């Protein structure tokens, strides 16, 4: 239980392991997760360490598993996850795992390569099928219809020229086709048109047609037709749309130019016979081959699916095993070898309470390895600061994370997390007090708590969701506490609950109350029972439009100061626990006592004045304790600090709340001011005296000459644990400067921190006003209509109001209140006692490594 309020006591140990037992022992320690190893080879390159080859083998196995995982996810095959964590395999089992992964990878790659080749053949045959089908239509069409069904005017014109050129002489050809056409033909022979057919991506077709026209000077004729169904790209599996084209031209030069253009646009050309019988015969052969390929492709996919399904059953366990092996060898690389090369030496931080558990784990590892030499675990003396280790569970983990986000606690200093479990949701609820909004937040937190196993197993990468889920207990408690403060404020969605009736009786009629917005609740004019409401606020204040804000302002402002001062005093009390634990007598006498007196004599006295004012003054009392005679607490406090004489009160009233108040106030201010020089000079002067005394007593005997030696010999220096003084090696001038900064910080901070707690009042008032605005401006509109039309309007308006309520008042206002509460804890509370200069204990733990995706990086203690 003590470790909840203060971090675990840690010790540095030296561990001796026989080489044959080292692997099994480290495996047991990884399952335990209670040992943080230090790197004893900081200057050795990672590639020169003893077990670097084993780590590389593990990296290669991880690569193969990631490849398998990618292929399994590509096919949408579910991977079996039993939630169990298999033990780390023995070193000899690495060979079997490597062989298994190698076989699976090779088989899968071979299947994929075969499937890709088959898909490529299937694509080519499918494209050829479409070419034969589409070009058959082109060849079957008559010349006039072909020439006037093309997509462009220049294609129709050139086709007409080419058809005429087949039966004309050379001179006429030159006139129609130009000189290039003449050079491309044999003199005195009839021209014969050539053609190429192929497929091209549909989006490239317009640019392809323009390039053909420009490069060939319009001496080609292009026909194209779209392939309606998409085709699968075998290289990446994407679905692409293509078009069939056929290009008519004359001469070898144009043929070469056309083919180069097709190659540039990545168009695929296919052989297409001229004779219709040859095309039909080829089409029949293509269809037969496509059917055969479909059969082979189906068998290939079935085989691939069987391989992946078998791998999916064991993939999670394989990942765990490989990552455990890798983590073990990575940890073994931190060890040193003795001179005989038969023993591994390690240094590690361990919790003192768990030494026996660690020794039992080492014995199990030794027995499992078959070694006859037991491991040796020796505690070491050190002046280094040990790591900070706070044991947490799933409930306290989130609150500890809030504290560690500010700074990890210095070793063995007081841990604010246990107190934050109550103070954090409570201060949040003071700002967020609404029964309805708190219920929404509490239900959301409760849902995450009830479903935490299933939600945790999903392991999403959504950072916002992970933050919400990690803080599910904080959200639940904030919601519950907000429901409590909502009952205190008697506020639910800006309305009130009339549970116990009202202790007010208003004598105005209904029309006057409804029409007059300047009516106020006044105990002097209205009938008030004189007894306080049983729980929370009287519901009548929700309809007191004239002075509701005035009443709530005064109430919430005062409770903010009360809670703030109590919270700060509690923080100073925590510093007393630190000073007594570390036996820091100087800090106890010259820091804790004057700090506590300063806070009590000024600010706690102001809190007492509030209770006195509430107790003594009332509207029904006679002067000098009537409501009109009640002095302002703020003005009284300012006059007290400045030694001002209070202003003359109204006739029949008194300037002070109780007898002797002026004397006590002067005494308190003088006492508080007297604490400042004690905080400023007391501790440095005592350190100076002790150093001088130690120098006179020790130096003639031991010959000590330095302040550090004198301080250590006189018992002033603290051990490596945090929280104690570290002044033994500091110059006295630096001690004075540091103490001066600390004193100024505390004195000025006490004023600013007290004022900072007014954010409890400000945000609470803002939240209540926003809720009332949503009611008046949105939801009330839906209540002004009657009948079926009113029901429709109310449904729409309520949906809009609900979205705004959840989005603005629950999410945005909740986040704002959360951040302000976080600041009150980090700055106003923890600054009184919390140093936060430690470093976290990061043990070698398989669970943490697997949760982080196999990362074996470990923060070194040195």
């Amino acid at each position: 239980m003590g470790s909840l309020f203060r971090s675990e006591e840690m010790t540095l140990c030296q561990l001796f392991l026989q080489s044959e037992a080292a692997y099994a022992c480290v495996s047991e320690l990884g399952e335990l997760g209670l040992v943080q190893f230090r790197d004893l080879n900081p200057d050795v390159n990672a590639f020169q360490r003893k077990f670097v080859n084993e780590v590389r083998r593990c990296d290669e196995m991880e690569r193969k598993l990631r490849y398998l995982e990618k292929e399994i996810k590509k096919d949408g095959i579910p991977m079996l996850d039993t939630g169990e964590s298999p033990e780390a395999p023995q070193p000899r089992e690495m060979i079997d795992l490597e062989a298994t992964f190698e076989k699976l990878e090779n088989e899968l790659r071979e299947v994929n390569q075969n499937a890709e080749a088959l898909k490529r053949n299937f694509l080519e045959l499918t494209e050829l099928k479409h070419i034969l089908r589409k070009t058959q239509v082109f060849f079957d069409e008559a010349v006039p219809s072909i020439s006037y069904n093309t997509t462009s005017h220049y294609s129709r014109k050139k086709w007409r020229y080419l058809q005429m050129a087949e039966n004309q002489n050379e001179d006429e050809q030159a006139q129609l086709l130009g000189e290039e056409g003449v050079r491309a033909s044999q003199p005195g022979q009839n021209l014969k048109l050539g053609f190429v057919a192929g497929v091209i991506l549909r989006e490239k077709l317009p640019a392809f047609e323009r390039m053909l026209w420009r490069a060939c000077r319009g001496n080609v004729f292009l026909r194209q037709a779209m392939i309606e169904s998409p085709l699968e790209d075998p290289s990446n599996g994407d679905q692409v749309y293509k078009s069939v084209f056929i290009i008519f031209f004359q001469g070898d030069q144009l043929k070469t130019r056309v083919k180069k253009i097709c190659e540039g646009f990545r168009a695929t050309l296919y052989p297409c016979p001229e004779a219709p019988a040859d095309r039909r015969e080829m089409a029949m052969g293509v269809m037969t081959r496509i059917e055969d390929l479909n059969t082979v492709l189906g068998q290939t996919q079935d085989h691939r699916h069987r391989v992946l399904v078998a791998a999916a059953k064991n993939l999670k366990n394989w990942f765990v095993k490989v990552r455990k092996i890798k983590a073990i060898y990575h940890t073994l690389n931190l060890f040193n070898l003795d001179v005989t090369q038969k023993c591994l030496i390690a240094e590690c931080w361990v919790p003192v309470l768990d030494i026996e558990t660690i020794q039992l784990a080492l014995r199990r590892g030794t027995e499992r390895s078959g070694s006859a030499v037991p491991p040796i675990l020796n505690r070491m003396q050190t002046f280094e600061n040990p790591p900070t280790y706070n044991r947490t569970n799933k409930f306290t983990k989130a609150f500890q994370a809030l504290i560690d986000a500010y700074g990890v606690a210095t070793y063995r200093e007081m841990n604010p997390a246990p107190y934050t479990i109550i103070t954090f949701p409570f201060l949040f609820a003071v700002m967020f007090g609404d029964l309805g909004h708190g219920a929404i937040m509490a239900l959301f937190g409760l849902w995450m708590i009830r479903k935490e196993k299933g939600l945790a197993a999903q392991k999403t990468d959504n950072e916002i969701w992970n933050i919400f889920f990690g803080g599910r207990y904080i959200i639940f408690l904030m919601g519950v506490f907000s429901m409590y403060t909502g009952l205190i404020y008697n506020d639910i969605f800006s309305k009130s609950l009339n549970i116990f009736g009202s202790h007010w009786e208003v004598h105005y009629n209904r029309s006057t109350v409804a029409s007059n917005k300047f009516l106020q609740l006044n105990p002097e004019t209205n009938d008030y029972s004189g007894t306080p409401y049983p729980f929370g606020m009287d519901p009548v204040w929700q309809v007191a439009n004239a002075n509701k804000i005035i009443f709530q302002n005064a109430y919430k402002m005062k409770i903010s100061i009360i809670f703030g001062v109590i919270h700060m005093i509690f923080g100073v009390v925590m510093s007393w626990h630190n000073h007594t634990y570390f036996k820091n007598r100087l800090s106890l006498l010259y820091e804790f006592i004057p700090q506590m007196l300063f806070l009590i004599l000024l600010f706690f006295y102001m809190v007492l004045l509030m209770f006195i004012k509430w107790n003594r003054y009332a509207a029904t009392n006679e002067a000098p304790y009537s409501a009109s005679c009640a002095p302002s607490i703020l003005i009284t406090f300012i006059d007290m600090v400045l030694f001002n004489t209070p202003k003359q009160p109204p006739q029949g009233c008194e300037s002070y709340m109780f007898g002797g108040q002026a004397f006590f106030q002067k005494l308190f201010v003088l006492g508080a001011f007297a604490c400042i020089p004690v905080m400023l000079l007391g501790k440095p002067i005592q350190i100076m005296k002790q150093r001088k005394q130690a120098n006179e007593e020790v130096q003639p005997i031991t010959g000590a000459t330095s302040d550090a030696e004198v301080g250590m010999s006189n018992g002033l220096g603290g051990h490596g644990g945090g929280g104690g003084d570290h002044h033994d090696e500091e110059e006295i001038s630096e001690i004075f400067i540091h103490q001066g900064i600390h004193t100024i910080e505390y004195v000025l901070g006490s004023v600013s921190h007290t004022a900072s707690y007014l954010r409890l009042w400000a945000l609470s008032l803002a939240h209540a006003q926003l809720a009332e605005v949503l009611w008046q401006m949105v939801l009330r509109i839906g209540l002004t209509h009657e009948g079926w039309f009113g029901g429709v309007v109310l449904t729409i308006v309520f949906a809009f109001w609900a979205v705004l309520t959840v989005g603005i008042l629950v999410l945005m206002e909740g986040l704002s209140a959360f951040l302000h509460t976080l600041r009150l804890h980090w700055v106003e509370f923890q600054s009184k006692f919390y140093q936060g200069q430690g470093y976290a204990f990061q043990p070698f733990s398989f669970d943490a490594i697997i949760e982080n995706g196999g990362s074996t990086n470990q923060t070194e203690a040195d």
Side-chain angles (χ1 to χ4, degrees):
M1 188 66 178
S3 64
L4 182 65
F5 301 97
R6 202 181 293 278
S7 63
E8 289 281 345
E9 185 180 354
M10 309 293 292
T11 184
L12 183 64
C13 293
Q14 193 172 36
L15 179 61
F16 296 89
L17 297 172
Q18 289 297 310
S19 297
E20 62 271 15
Y23 182 94
C25 290
V26 172
S27 173
E28 291 291 336
L29 294 179
E31 299 288 352
L32 201 60
L34 290 172
V35 177
Q36 177 176 320
F37 291 100
R38 300 173 62 192
D39 190 358
L40 301 183
N41 307 295
D43 301 326
V44 179
N45 190 291
F47 300 100
Q48 297 174 343
R49 303 202 178 195
K50 179 176 177 58
F51 300 99
V52 64
N53 290 330
E54 285 78 3
V55 174
R56 285 176 175 173
R57 290 167 62 189
C58 292
D59 287 335
E60 181 64 15
M61 286 192 289
E62 268 195 303
R63 183 196 62 78
K64 294 173 182 176
L65 289 176
R66 284 194 296 270
Y67 172 71
L68 290 173
E69 183 182 33
K70 183 185 72 173
E71 295 296 319
I72 290 171
K73 289 181 177 179
K74 185 188 296 184
D75 282 20
I77 300 173
M79 289 178 283
L80 181 63
D81 188 3
T82 59
E84 300 177 356
S85 179
E87 293 185 354
Q90 294 299 316
R92 58 182 176 271
E93 296 181 36
M94 279 184 67
I95 301 174
D96 297 335
L97 289 175
E98 285 178 314
T100 302
F101 301 158
E102 183 74 19
K103 178 183 176 183
L104 281 173
E105 185 191 28
N106 292 339
E107 186 175 4
L108 194 57
R109 287 192 183 276
E110 184 178 355
V111 169
N112 288 343
Q113 291 173 358
N114 294 337
E116 185 176 348
L118 291 172
K119 287 180 180 178
R120 195 172 300 279
N121 291 338
F122 181 79
L123 175 65
E124 293 173 354
L125 291 173
T126 305
E127 291 176 348
L128 182 56
K129 178 188 73 173
H130 286 288
I131 286 176
L132 295 173
R133 182 180 300 169
K134 302 292 184 183
T135 54
Q136 182 66 34
V137 178
F138 298 157
F139 285 114
D140 289 345
E141 289 179 349
V143 171
S145 63
I146 294 177
S147 61
Y148 291 102
N149 285 334
T150 52
T151 58
S152 60
H153 172 70
Y154 56 80
S155 295
R156 294 196 299 269
K157 181 178 179 182
K158 191 52 58 182
W159 171 256
R160 191 163 58 247
Y161 287 167
L162 291 173
Q163 293 294 321
M164 292 171 62
E166 289 191 5
N167 299 315
Q168 290 176 348
N169 59 30
E170 184 175 345
D171 294 334
E172 292 173 337
Q173 293 170 15
Q175 293 177 5
L176 292 174
L177 300 178
E179 295 180 0
E180 184 177 354
V182 175
R183 290 193 301 267
S185 63
Q186 296 293 334
Q189 294 180 359
N190 290 335
L191 298 177
K192 183 172 179 62
L193 295 179
F195 68 91
V196 293
V199 294
I200 190 172
L201 289 174
R202 192 178 296 177
E203 60 267 18
K204 293 183 179 180
L205 190 61
F208 178 63
E209 186 174 0
R210 286 195 300 269
M211 180 60 71
L212 280 171
W213 172 257
R214 292 171 183 171
C216 300
R217 300 182 183 180
N219 295 319
V220 296
F221 176 69
L222 171 70
R223 288 297 305 271
Q224 58 89 16
M226 291 187 296
I227 300 175
E228 292 79 8
S229 58
L231 304 177
E232 181 181 353
D233 188 346
S235 58
N236 52 25
D238 294 340
Q239 298 292 322
V240 294
Y241 287 89
K242 293 187 177 184
S243 293
V244 171
F245 67 86
I246 184 169
I247 304 171
F248 295 93
F249 52 83
Q250 182 183 17
D252 292 337
Q253 289 188 1
L254 285 179
K255 180 178 182 181
T256 303
R257 194 172 297 179
V258 166
K259 287 188 175 181
K260 286 184 177 179
I261 294 172
C262 292
E263 182 180 353
F265 278 86
R266 300 291 177 90
T268 307
L269 299 180
Y270 290 95
C272 183
E274 295 185 21
D278 294 340
R279 287 196 297 270
R280 283 192 295 271
E281 184 179 354
M282 180 179 283
M284 293 175 62
V286 167
M287 293 302 297
T288 303
R289 292 178 60 188
I290 287 177
E291 291 177 1
D292 294 341
L293 270 179
N294 272 327
T295 304
V296 177
L297 269 173
Q299 294 174 351
T300 304
Q301 291 296 334
D302 290 342
H303 179 62
R304 167 188 162 88
H305 187 76
R306 286 194 298 269
V307 172
L308 293 178
V309 167
K313 294 179 181 179
N314 300 311
L315 190 68
K316 294 289 186 182
N317 286 344
W318 284 340
F319 263 119
V320 172
K321 289 181 178 180
V322 171
R323 286 169 179 169
K324 284 187 176 183
I325 298 172
K326 181 181 176 182
I328 292 171
Y329 282 117
H330 176 83
T331 304
L332 290 175
N333 276 333
L334 307 179
F335 296 2
N336 262 341
L337 280 170
D338 70 339
V339 292
T340 64
Q341 301 287 314
K342 294 182 179 180
C343 181
L344 291 172
I345 304 172
E347 290 183 4
C348 53
W349 291 105
V350 300
V352 174
L353 293 178
D354 296 315
I355 289 180
E356 291 186 5
T357 305
I358 294 169
Q359 288 175 337
L360 288 175
L362 291 173
R363 289 196 197 103
R364 286 196 303 269
T366 305
E367 293 172 357
R368 198 173 69 176
S369 66
S371 175
V373 181
I376 301 173
L377 185 68
N378 292 330
R379 296 182 63 174
M380 300 172 61
Q381 295 295 327
T382 181
F383 290 100
E384 294 182 21
N385 285 330
T388 300
Y389 176 42
N390 297 107
R391 296 183 193 269
T392 57
N393 52 35
K394 62 181 181 181
F395 175 70
T396 59
K397 182 179 181 180
F399 293 96
Q400 189 66 54
L402 289 180
I403 304 302
D404 293 342
Y406 174 78
V408 179
T410 307
Y411 178 65
R412 298 292 286 167
E413 77 172 333
M414 288 298 293
N415 181 22
Y419 316 103
T420 305
I421 294 174
I422 299 300
T423 59
F424 191 92
F426 178 73
L427 293 182
F428 171 87
V430 173
M431 294 182 273
F432 197 74
D434 188 293
L435 182 62
H437 301 151
I440 294 174
M441 186 173 290
L443 289 174
F444 176 60
L446 183 62
W447 173 77
M448 288 190 292
I449 292 171
R450 294 292 302 272
K451 303 288 185 180
E452 64 180 11
K453 289 185 178 179
L455 295 174
Q458 294 179 2
K459 294 183 179 179
T460 177
D461 292 331
N462 190 315
E463 188 175 352
I464 296 177
W465 166 254
N466 289 334
I467 291 174
F468 277 118
F469 182 69
R472 57 194 179 278
Y473 289 99
I474 298 179
I475 294 174
F476 174 69
L477 285 181
M478 290 192 305
V480 171
F481 277 70
S482 297
M483 293 173 65
Y484 167 75
T485 53
L487 285 172
I488 295 294
Y489 297 154
N490 204 347
D491 193 357
I492 172 171
F493 299 121
S494 81
K495 299 286 109 179
S496 61
L497 296 174
N498 191 359
I499 302 176
F500 304 103
S502 176
H503 286 209
W504 291 79
E505 184 178 349
V506 181
H507 294 286
Y508 302 108
N509 57 34
R510 182 181 294 272
S511 60
T512 303
V513 173
S515 59
N516 193 336
K517 297 183 179 180
F518 300 99
L519 293 178
Q520 296 187 3
L521 292 175
N522 190 345
E524 295 179 347
T525 58
N526 303 107
D527 288 341
Y528 174 57
S529 65
T531 59
Y533 201 67
F535 185 81
M537 287 187 182
D538 197 304
V540 75
W541 284 107
Q542 285 292 344
V543 297
N545 295 324
N547 61 339
K548 177 179 71 171
I549 297 296
I550 299 174
F551 168 74
Q552 290 186 344
N553 260 346
Y555 168 70
K556 292 182 178 180
M557 186 187 299
K558 288 182 174 63
I559 64 172
S560 298
I561 296 298
I562 292 170
F563 291 148
V565 171
I566 294 174
H567 201 211
M568 290 191 295
I569 290 176
F570 182 62
V572 178
V573 171
M574 291 296 99
S575 69
W576 171 74
H577 286 283
N578 278 334
H579 299 328
T580 54
Y581 177 81
F582 293 112
K583 299 180 174 58
N584 198 337
R585 185 171 174 272
L586 293 181
S587 295
L588 185 64
L589 293 177
Y590 299 105
E591 287 184 356
F592 167 72
I593 293 177
Q595 286 176 359
M596 182 62 77
L597 287 175
F598 183 84
L599 205 58
I600 289 177
L601 294 178
L602 292 182
F603 299 100
F604 188 71
Y605 171 71
M606 180 173 61
V607 170
L608 289 179
L609 290 180
M610 295 177 187
F611 283 99
I612 292 173
K613 181 178 179 179
W614 282 338
N615 186 55
R616 303 201 73 175
Y617 295 89
T620 56
N621 290 353
E622 300 291 337
Y625 298 116
S626 62
S628 58
C629 292
S632 169
I633 301 296
L634 180 60
I635 299 301
T636 300
F637 184 75
I638 293 173
D639 290 339
M640 166 187 164
V641 175
L642 299 179
F643 294 100
N644 290 339
T645 303
K647 293 182 180 180
Q648 186 66 30
Q651 187 175 4
C653 300
E654 295 181 358
S655 301
Y656 296 103
M657 298 183 186
F658 58 89
Q661 182 178 353
F663 169 75
F664 284 112
Q665 287 185 168
K666 291 179 181 179
L667 182 64
F668 291 166
V669 173
L670 292 174
F673 286 169
C675 293
I676 297 176
V678 177
M679 288 186 282
L680 182 64
L681 303 173
K683 188 175 177 180
I685 291 175
Q686 289 300 316
I687 291 175
M688 195 166 54
K689 285 182 179 180
Q690 290 181 356
R691 284 187 179 181
K692 183 178 180 181
Q693 182 181 0
N695 196 31
E696 291 176 352
E697 293 179 357
V698 178
Q699 189 173 353
I701 302 174
T702 64
T705 56
S706 67
D707 288 342
E709 292 171 347
V710 171
M712 292 301 296
S713 62
N714 198 38
L716 296 178
H719 77 326
D725 282 340
H726 299 281
H727 301 298
D728 49 301
E729 297 179 359
E730 269 190 296
E731 293 290 338
I732 194 66
S733 59
E734 293 182 0
I735 295 177
F736 272 100
I737 293 172
H738 292 165
Q739 193 66 24
I741 293 173
H742 183 68
T743 302
I744 295 171
E745 234 179 20
Y746 181 82
V747 173
L748 297 181
S750 297
V751 181
S752 63
H753 291 175
T754 304
S756 183
Y757 279 93
L758 289 174
R759 69 186 69 236
L760 299 173
W761 152 63
L763 265 76
S764 174
L765 195 65
H767 186 83
Q769 290 303 304
L770 277 174
E772 188 168 352
V773 166
L774 275 184
W775 171 268
Q776 296 290 342
M777 303 296 292
V778 179
L779 192 57
R780 194 173 181 182
I781 297 175
L783 300 175
T784 57
H785 303 279
E786 297 181 356
W788 67 268
F789 179 73
V792 174
V793 172
L794 181 60
T795 302
I796 297 173
V797 171
F798 177 80
F800 185 60
W801 172 83
V803 170
L804 291 179
T805 298
V806 174
I808 296 177
L809 290 178
V810 177
L811 288 178
M812 293 180 62
E813 278 284 302
L815 178 61
S816 174
F818 178 88
L819 294 177
H820 283 284
T821 309
L822 199 61
R823 182 240 154 81
L824 289 177
H825 281 79
W826 280 358
V827 180
E828 278 71 27
F829 173 58
Q830 292 178 194
S831 63
K832 303 295 185 295
F833 69 98
Y834 188 72
Q835 293 183 6
Q837 296 177 353
Y839 63 97
F841 176 61
Q842 294 182 330
F844 169 60
S845 171
F846 287 146
D847 291 340
I849 291 170
I850 293 169
E851 184 178 351
N852 294 333
S855 176
T856 55
N857 295 330
Q858 191 183 78
T859 301
E860 312 303 340
D862 42 351

